[in-house]
Short mmCIF file of all heavy atoms in Angstrom, two decimals:
data_model
loop_
_atom_site.label_atom_id
_atom_site.label_comp_id
_atom_site.label_asym_id
_atom_site.label_seq_id
_atom_site.Cartn_x
_atom_site.Cartn_y
_atom_site.Cartn_z
N LEU A 1 -27.50 82.16 -50.78
CA LEU A 1 -28.20 82.76 -49.69
C LEU A 1 -28.99 81.70 -48.87
O LEU A 1 -28.90 81.65 -47.65
CB LEU A 1 -29.12 83.91 -50.06
CG LEU A 1 -29.81 84.64 -48.96
CD1 LEU A 1 -29.98 86.15 -49.33
CD2 LEU A 1 -31.25 84.08 -48.79
N LEU A 2 -29.68 80.92 -49.63
CA LEU A 2 -30.50 79.85 -48.95
C LEU A 2 -29.61 78.83 -48.22
O LEU A 2 -29.95 78.41 -47.13
CB LEU A 2 -31.37 79.15 -49.99
CG LEU A 2 -32.49 79.94 -50.66
CD1 LEU A 2 -33.22 79.14 -51.68
CD2 LEU A 2 -33.49 80.48 -49.60
N ALA A 3 -28.49 78.53 -48.81
CA ALA A 3 -27.59 77.58 -48.22
C ALA A 3 -27.04 78.21 -46.85
O ALA A 3 -26.92 77.45 -45.84
CB ALA A 3 -26.41 77.31 -49.09
N GLY A 4 -26.76 79.54 -46.89
CA GLY A 4 -26.31 80.17 -45.64
C GLY A 4 -27.39 80.17 -44.61
O GLY A 4 -27.08 80.00 -43.44
N LEU A 5 -28.59 80.44 -45.02
CA LEU A 5 -29.73 80.49 -44.10
C LEU A 5 -29.95 79.10 -43.48
O LEU A 5 -30.24 78.96 -42.20
CB LEU A 5 -30.95 80.98 -44.78
CG LEU A 5 -32.16 81.51 -44.00
CD1 LEU A 5 -31.70 82.54 -43.00
CD2 LEU A 5 -33.24 82.07 -44.93
N ALA A 6 -29.83 78.05 -44.31
CA ALA A 6 -30.02 76.71 -43.76
C ALA A 6 -28.91 76.41 -42.74
O ALA A 6 -29.18 75.77 -41.69
CB ALA A 6 -29.98 75.68 -44.89
N GLN A 7 -27.76 76.85 -42.98
CA GLN A 7 -26.65 76.68 -42.04
C GLN A 7 -26.89 77.41 -40.78
O GLN A 7 -26.68 76.79 -39.62
CB GLN A 7 -25.31 77.10 -42.68
CG GLN A 7 -24.08 76.92 -41.78
CD GLN A 7 -22.80 77.42 -42.38
OE1 GLN A 7 -22.81 78.03 -43.48
NE2 GLN A 7 -21.72 77.32 -41.65
N VAL A 8 -27.37 78.60 -40.81
CA VAL A 8 -27.64 79.36 -39.60
C VAL A 8 -28.75 78.68 -38.79
O VAL A 8 -28.62 78.58 -37.55
CB VAL A 8 -28.04 80.82 -39.98
CG1 VAL A 8 -28.59 81.53 -38.74
CG2 VAL A 8 -26.85 81.53 -40.53
N TYR A 9 -29.78 78.28 -39.50
CA TYR A 9 -30.92 77.62 -38.76
C TYR A 9 -30.36 76.24 -38.12
O TYR A 9 -30.83 75.96 -36.98
CB TYR A 9 -32.07 77.29 -39.72
CG TYR A 9 -32.98 78.43 -39.87
CD1 TYR A 9 -33.35 78.86 -41.16
CD2 TYR A 9 -33.47 79.21 -38.81
CE1 TYR A 9 -34.21 79.96 -41.39
CE2 TYR A 9 -34.28 80.32 -38.99
CZ TYR A 9 -34.63 80.71 -40.26
OH TYR A 9 -35.47 81.76 -40.41
N TYR A 10 -29.52 75.57 -38.75
CA TYR A 10 -28.96 74.33 -38.18
C TYR A 10 -28.19 74.70 -36.92
O TYR A 10 -28.34 74.03 -35.83
CB TYR A 10 -28.13 73.60 -39.21
CG TYR A 10 -27.40 72.48 -38.52
CD1 TYR A 10 -28.09 71.28 -38.14
CD2 TYR A 10 -26.01 72.46 -38.30
CE1 TYR A 10 -27.43 70.27 -37.51
CE2 TYR A 10 -25.36 71.46 -37.62
CZ TYR A 10 -26.07 70.35 -37.34
OH TYR A 10 -25.43 69.22 -36.71
N ARG A 11 -27.31 75.66 -37.02
CA ARG A 11 -26.53 76.06 -35.82
C ARG A 11 -27.40 76.61 -34.73
O ARG A 11 -26.96 76.45 -33.53
CB ARG A 11 -25.48 77.13 -36.31
CG ARG A 11 -24.32 76.61 -37.07
CD ARG A 11 -23.62 75.57 -36.21
NE ARG A 11 -22.46 75.00 -36.91
CZ ARG A 11 -21.89 73.83 -36.49
NH1 ARG A 11 -22.31 73.29 -35.35
NH2 ARG A 11 -20.87 73.36 -37.16
N SER A 12 -28.51 77.09 -34.99
CA SER A 12 -29.48 77.58 -34.03
C SER A 12 -30.44 76.52 -33.55
O SER A 12 -31.38 76.83 -32.73
CB SER A 12 -30.25 78.76 -34.57
OG SER A 12 -29.40 79.78 -35.03
N LYS A 13 -30.23 75.25 -34.00
CA LYS A 13 -31.08 74.14 -33.68
C LYS A 13 -32.54 74.36 -34.06
O LYS A 13 -33.43 73.79 -33.49
CB LYS A 13 -30.94 73.82 -32.19
CG LYS A 13 -29.60 73.39 -31.68
CD LYS A 13 -29.62 72.89 -30.25
CE LYS A 13 -28.17 72.44 -29.82
NZ LYS A 13 -27.71 71.30 -30.54
N GLN A 14 -32.73 75.11 -35.08
CA GLN A 14 -34.07 75.24 -35.72
C GLN A 14 -34.09 74.27 -36.92
O GLN A 14 -34.09 74.66 -38.04
CB GLN A 14 -34.35 76.63 -36.13
CG GLN A 14 -34.40 77.61 -34.91
CD GLN A 14 -34.50 79.04 -35.37
OE1 GLN A 14 -33.55 79.78 -35.54
NE2 GLN A 14 -35.74 79.52 -35.53
N PHE A 15 -34.13 72.98 -36.60
CA PHE A 15 -33.98 72.00 -37.62
C PHE A 15 -35.01 71.90 -38.66
O PHE A 15 -34.74 71.60 -39.81
CB PHE A 15 -33.83 70.62 -36.88
CG PHE A 15 -32.71 70.50 -35.86
CD1 PHE A 15 -32.95 70.15 -34.56
CD2 PHE A 15 -31.43 70.84 -36.26
CE1 PHE A 15 -31.92 70.10 -33.67
CE2 PHE A 15 -30.38 70.74 -35.32
CZ PHE A 15 -30.63 70.39 -34.00
N SER A 16 -36.28 72.16 -38.35
CA SER A 16 -37.30 72.11 -39.27
C SER A 16 -37.13 73.15 -40.37
O SER A 16 -37.27 72.83 -41.60
CB SER A 16 -38.73 72.35 -38.59
OG SER A 16 -39.00 71.32 -37.77
N GLU A 17 -36.67 74.35 -40.02
CA GLU A 17 -36.43 75.41 -41.00
C GLU A 17 -35.32 75.01 -41.91
O GLU A 17 -35.39 75.28 -43.07
CB GLU A 17 -36.18 76.74 -40.29
CG GLU A 17 -37.37 77.37 -39.55
CD GLU A 17 -37.66 76.78 -38.18
OE1 GLU A 17 -36.98 75.79 -37.84
OE2 GLU A 17 -38.56 77.34 -37.49
N SER A 18 -34.26 74.49 -41.33
CA SER A 18 -33.09 74.09 -42.11
C SER A 18 -33.50 73.00 -43.09
O SER A 18 -33.16 72.94 -44.28
CB SER A 18 -31.99 73.64 -41.21
OG SER A 18 -30.81 73.31 -41.89
N LEU A 19 -34.25 71.91 -42.63
CA LEU A 19 -34.71 70.86 -43.47
C LEU A 19 -35.55 71.38 -44.59
O LEU A 19 -35.42 70.84 -45.72
CB LEU A 19 -35.46 69.83 -42.62
CG LEU A 19 -34.65 68.87 -41.85
CD1 LEU A 19 -35.45 68.09 -40.85
CD2 LEU A 19 -33.91 67.81 -42.79
N GLU A 20 -36.41 72.31 -44.36
CA GLU A 20 -37.30 72.83 -45.40
C GLU A 20 -36.47 73.41 -46.52
O GLU A 20 -36.80 73.16 -47.73
CB GLU A 20 -38.29 73.90 -44.87
CG GLU A 20 -39.38 73.35 -43.93
CD GLU A 20 -40.18 74.41 -43.28
OE1 GLU A 20 -39.95 75.58 -43.62
OE2 GLU A 20 -41.08 74.10 -42.46
N ILE A 21 -35.47 74.13 -46.19
CA ILE A 21 -34.61 74.72 -47.24
C ILE A 21 -33.85 73.65 -48.04
O ILE A 21 -33.85 73.64 -49.28
CB ILE A 21 -33.57 75.73 -46.60
CG1 ILE A 21 -34.32 76.92 -45.99
CG2 ILE A 21 -32.61 76.23 -47.63
CD1 ILE A 21 -33.44 77.82 -45.18
N TYR A 22 -33.22 72.68 -47.35
CA TYR A 22 -32.46 71.66 -48.09
C TYR A 22 -33.46 70.78 -48.92
O TYR A 22 -33.09 70.41 -50.04
CB TYR A 22 -31.78 70.74 -47.11
CG TYR A 22 -30.54 71.38 -46.45
CD1 TYR A 22 -30.37 71.27 -45.08
CD2 TYR A 22 -29.65 72.13 -47.21
CE1 TYR A 22 -29.18 71.87 -44.43
CE2 TYR A 22 -28.57 72.81 -46.61
CZ TYR A 22 -28.34 72.62 -45.22
OH TYR A 22 -27.25 73.28 -44.70
N PHE A 23 -34.64 70.61 -48.47
CA PHE A 23 -35.58 69.84 -49.28
C PHE A 23 -35.97 70.60 -50.58
O PHE A 23 -35.91 69.96 -51.63
CB PHE A 23 -36.86 69.62 -48.51
CG PHE A 23 -37.99 69.02 -49.26
CD1 PHE A 23 -37.81 67.76 -49.92
CD2 PHE A 23 -39.19 69.67 -49.49
CE1 PHE A 23 -38.90 67.24 -50.75
CE2 PHE A 23 -40.19 69.23 -50.26
CZ PHE A 23 -40.03 67.94 -50.92
N GLU A 24 -36.22 71.86 -50.44
CA GLU A 24 -36.51 72.59 -51.68
C GLU A 24 -35.37 72.66 -52.65
O GLU A 24 -35.54 72.54 -53.83
CB GLU A 24 -37.05 74.01 -51.22
CG GLU A 24 -37.64 74.84 -52.35
CD GLU A 24 -38.98 74.22 -52.85
OE1 GLU A 24 -39.69 73.63 -51.99
OE2 GLU A 24 -39.26 74.29 -54.08
N MET A 25 -34.21 72.89 -52.07
CA MET A 25 -33.03 72.98 -52.91
C MET A 25 -32.67 71.66 -53.61
O MET A 25 -32.19 71.62 -54.71
CB MET A 25 -31.88 73.46 -52.13
CG MET A 25 -31.90 74.90 -51.66
SD MET A 25 -30.46 75.44 -50.79
CE MET A 25 -29.28 75.52 -52.10
N SER A 26 -32.95 70.56 -52.92
CA SER A 26 -32.57 69.22 -53.44
C SER A 26 -33.45 68.80 -54.70
O SER A 26 -33.08 67.86 -55.35
CB SER A 26 -32.72 68.16 -52.34
OG SER A 26 -34.03 67.93 -51.99
N LYS A 27 -34.53 69.50 -54.88
CA LYS A 27 -35.28 69.26 -56.08
C LYS A 27 -34.43 69.57 -57.37
O LYS A 27 -34.59 68.89 -58.31
CB LYS A 27 -36.54 70.10 -56.15
CG LYS A 27 -37.57 69.76 -54.97
CD LYS A 27 -38.79 70.69 -55.08
CE LYS A 27 -39.82 70.34 -53.99
NZ LYS A 27 -40.95 71.26 -53.96
N GLN A 28 -33.56 70.48 -57.25
CA GLN A 28 -32.68 70.80 -58.35
C GLN A 28 -31.22 70.29 -58.12
O GLN A 28 -30.48 70.11 -59.06
CB GLN A 28 -32.67 72.33 -58.60
CG GLN A 28 -33.78 72.91 -59.39
CD GLN A 28 -33.85 72.27 -60.86
OE1 GLN A 28 -32.83 72.14 -61.46
NE2 GLN A 28 -35.06 72.05 -61.28
N TYR A 29 -30.84 70.13 -56.84
CA TYR A 29 -29.54 69.65 -56.53
C TYR A 29 -29.63 68.41 -55.67
O TYR A 29 -29.58 68.51 -54.39
CB TYR A 29 -28.82 70.83 -55.84
CG TYR A 29 -28.68 72.06 -56.66
CD1 TYR A 29 -29.70 73.09 -56.59
CD2 TYR A 29 -27.71 72.13 -57.64
CE1 TYR A 29 -29.57 74.17 -57.40
CE2 TYR A 29 -27.66 73.23 -58.46
CZ TYR A 29 -28.57 74.28 -58.35
OH TYR A 29 -28.52 75.38 -59.15
N PRO A 30 -29.78 67.28 -56.34
CA PRO A 30 -30.08 66.02 -55.60
C PRO A 30 -29.00 65.59 -54.55
O PRO A 30 -29.36 64.88 -53.63
CB PRO A 30 -30.13 64.90 -56.74
CG PRO A 30 -30.45 65.74 -57.95
CD PRO A 30 -29.74 66.99 -57.79
N ALA A 31 -27.79 65.97 -54.75
CA ALA A 31 -26.74 65.59 -53.83
C ALA A 31 -27.00 66.11 -52.39
O ALA A 31 -26.38 65.57 -51.43
CB ALA A 31 -25.38 66.02 -54.32
N LEU A 32 -27.85 67.10 -52.30
CA LEU A 32 -28.22 67.63 -50.94
C LEU A 32 -28.93 66.66 -50.10
O LEU A 32 -29.09 66.88 -48.89
CB LEU A 32 -28.92 68.95 -51.10
CG LEU A 32 -28.07 70.19 -51.10
CD1 LEU A 32 -27.16 70.23 -52.29
CD2 LEU A 32 -28.89 71.43 -51.01
N ARG A 33 -29.36 65.54 -50.68
CA ARG A 33 -30.12 64.49 -49.90
C ARG A 33 -29.21 64.06 -48.77
O ARG A 33 -29.72 63.66 -47.69
CB ARG A 33 -30.41 63.31 -50.81
CG ARG A 33 -31.70 63.48 -51.58
CD ARG A 33 -32.97 63.50 -50.70
NE ARG A 33 -33.10 62.21 -49.92
CZ ARG A 33 -33.83 61.17 -50.38
NH1 ARG A 33 -34.38 61.26 -51.55
NH2 ARG A 33 -33.95 60.12 -49.70
N GLN A 34 -27.84 64.07 -48.92
CA GLN A 34 -26.97 63.65 -47.86
C GLN A 34 -27.13 64.49 -46.64
O GLN A 34 -26.97 64.01 -45.48
CB GLN A 34 -25.57 63.56 -48.30
CG GLN A 34 -24.82 64.92 -48.53
CD GLN A 34 -23.40 64.62 -48.88
OE1 GLN A 34 -23.09 64.16 -49.91
NE2 GLN A 34 -22.50 65.06 -47.98
N MET A 35 -27.35 65.80 -46.83
CA MET A 35 -27.51 66.70 -45.71
C MET A 35 -28.93 66.54 -45.10
O MET A 35 -29.07 66.61 -43.83
CB MET A 35 -27.34 68.13 -46.24
CG MET A 35 -25.99 68.35 -46.81
SD MET A 35 -25.77 69.96 -47.59
CE MET A 35 -25.46 71.00 -46.18
N GLN A 36 -29.94 66.28 -45.92
CA GLN A 36 -31.28 66.04 -45.39
C GLN A 36 -31.28 64.78 -44.50
O GLN A 36 -31.80 64.86 -43.38
CB GLN A 36 -32.22 65.79 -46.51
CG GLN A 36 -32.61 67.02 -47.38
CD GLN A 36 -33.49 66.66 -48.48
OE1 GLN A 36 -33.18 66.89 -49.66
NE2 GLN A 36 -34.56 66.00 -48.24
N ASP A 37 -30.71 63.69 -44.94
CA ASP A 37 -30.78 62.46 -44.16
C ASP A 37 -30.06 62.55 -42.84
O ASP A 37 -30.65 62.17 -41.79
CB ASP A 37 -30.17 61.29 -44.96
CG ASP A 37 -31.15 60.73 -46.00
OD1 ASP A 37 -32.26 61.28 -46.14
OD2 ASP A 37 -30.82 59.78 -46.71
N ALA A 38 -28.87 63.17 -42.87
CA ALA A 38 -28.15 63.32 -41.68
C ALA A 38 -28.85 64.24 -40.67
O ALA A 38 -28.93 63.97 -39.53
CB ALA A 38 -26.74 63.85 -41.94
N LEU A 39 -29.33 65.34 -41.17
CA LEU A 39 -30.05 66.29 -40.36
C LEU A 39 -31.26 65.74 -39.77
O LEU A 39 -31.69 66.04 -38.59
CB LEU A 39 -30.31 67.62 -41.17
CG LEU A 39 -30.97 68.76 -40.46
CD1 LEU A 39 -30.24 69.03 -39.13
CD2 LEU A 39 -30.93 70.03 -41.29
N GLN A 40 -32.00 64.94 -40.56
CA GLN A 40 -33.17 64.20 -40.08
C GLN A 40 -32.85 63.40 -38.83
O GLN A 40 -33.56 63.37 -37.77
CB GLN A 40 -33.76 63.33 -41.11
CG GLN A 40 -35.04 62.63 -40.72
CD GLN A 40 -36.28 63.51 -40.96
OE1 GLN A 40 -36.14 64.52 -41.65
NE2 GLN A 40 -37.42 63.15 -40.42
N GLY A 41 -31.68 62.71 -38.88
CA GLY A 41 -31.28 61.85 -37.75
C GLY A 41 -30.91 62.69 -36.54
O GLY A 41 -31.29 62.33 -35.42
N ILE A 42 -30.24 63.84 -36.75
CA ILE A 42 -29.91 64.72 -35.66
C ILE A 42 -31.19 65.25 -35.02
O ILE A 42 -31.30 65.35 -33.77
CB ILE A 42 -28.97 65.85 -36.15
CG1 ILE A 42 -27.71 65.26 -36.55
CG2 ILE A 42 -28.80 66.93 -35.05
CD1 ILE A 42 -26.79 66.35 -37.35
N TYR A 43 -32.14 65.63 -35.81
CA TYR A 43 -33.41 66.20 -35.35
C TYR A 43 -34.12 65.22 -34.48
O TYR A 43 -34.65 65.57 -33.44
CB TYR A 43 -34.23 66.56 -36.60
CG TYR A 43 -35.59 67.18 -36.25
CD1 TYR A 43 -35.67 68.28 -35.43
CD2 TYR A 43 -36.72 66.66 -36.90
CE1 TYR A 43 -36.95 68.86 -35.16
CE2 TYR A 43 -38.00 67.20 -36.63
CZ TYR A 43 -38.07 68.28 -35.75
OH TYR A 43 -39.31 68.86 -35.48
N ALA A 44 -34.08 63.90 -34.87
CA ALA A 44 -34.87 62.95 -34.11
C ALA A 44 -34.14 62.83 -32.72
O ALA A 44 -34.90 62.67 -31.70
CB ALA A 44 -34.70 61.62 -34.79
N VAL A 45 -32.84 62.85 -32.66
CA VAL A 45 -32.16 62.69 -31.35
C VAL A 45 -32.34 63.94 -30.48
O VAL A 45 -32.64 63.93 -29.30
CB VAL A 45 -30.69 62.37 -31.52
CG1 VAL A 45 -29.92 62.40 -30.20
CG2 VAL A 45 -30.46 61.02 -32.27
N GLU A 46 -32.08 65.13 -31.05
CA GLU A 46 -32.08 66.38 -30.33
C GLU A 46 -33.51 66.67 -29.80
O GLU A 46 -33.59 67.20 -28.66
CB GLU A 46 -31.64 67.54 -31.24
CG GLU A 46 -30.18 67.49 -31.61
CD GLU A 46 -29.31 68.00 -30.42
OE1 GLU A 46 -29.80 68.72 -29.51
OE2 GLU A 46 -28.09 67.67 -30.43
N GLN A 47 -34.48 66.41 -30.58
CA GLN A 47 -35.83 66.77 -30.12
C GLN A 47 -36.52 65.58 -29.39
O GLN A 47 -37.64 65.73 -28.98
CB GLN A 47 -36.69 67.11 -31.40
CG GLN A 47 -36.14 68.31 -32.11
CD GLN A 47 -36.12 69.59 -31.34
OE1 GLN A 47 -36.94 69.78 -30.45
NE2 GLN A 47 -35.11 70.40 -31.54
N GLN A 48 -35.80 64.50 -29.24
CA GLN A 48 -36.33 63.31 -28.57
C GLN A 48 -37.74 62.88 -29.11
O GLN A 48 -38.66 62.66 -28.39
CB GLN A 48 -36.39 63.57 -27.05
CG GLN A 48 -35.02 63.81 -26.42
CD GLN A 48 -35.18 63.96 -24.88
OE1 GLN A 48 -36.20 64.12 -24.36
NE2 GLN A 48 -33.99 63.93 -24.23
#
């Protein structure tokens, strides 16, 4: 459910909310760091 919610927030360009979910999940699922790093870069560009 959290993964789906993060996806929806990303698609809605609510990047902070999506990042918060991936960060919390990555505490137990470290491979999600790849989604955090990429999303961080998109956030920087989109929000200028």
Side-chain angles (χ1 to χ4, degrees):
L1 179 145
L2 293 177
L5 197 51
Q7 181 181 2
V8 170
Y9 277 132
Y10 173 70
R11 284 300 178 196
S12 304
K13 296 187 181 296
Q14 295 175 270
F15 301 124
S16 294
E17 288 83 352
S18 187
L19 279 167
E20 287 174 6
I21 294 172
Y22 288 136
F23 170 62
E24 191 66 34
M25 292 182 71
S26 69
K27 293 178 181 178
Q28 280 296 321
Y29 300 96
L32 269 65
R33 277 293 296 270
Q34 72 175 66
M35 301 172 80
Q36 290 175 234
D37 279 5
L39 184 47
Q40 184 84 15
I42 294 169
Y43 180 52
V45 174
E46 290 282 342
Q47 302 297 327
Q48 296 183 348

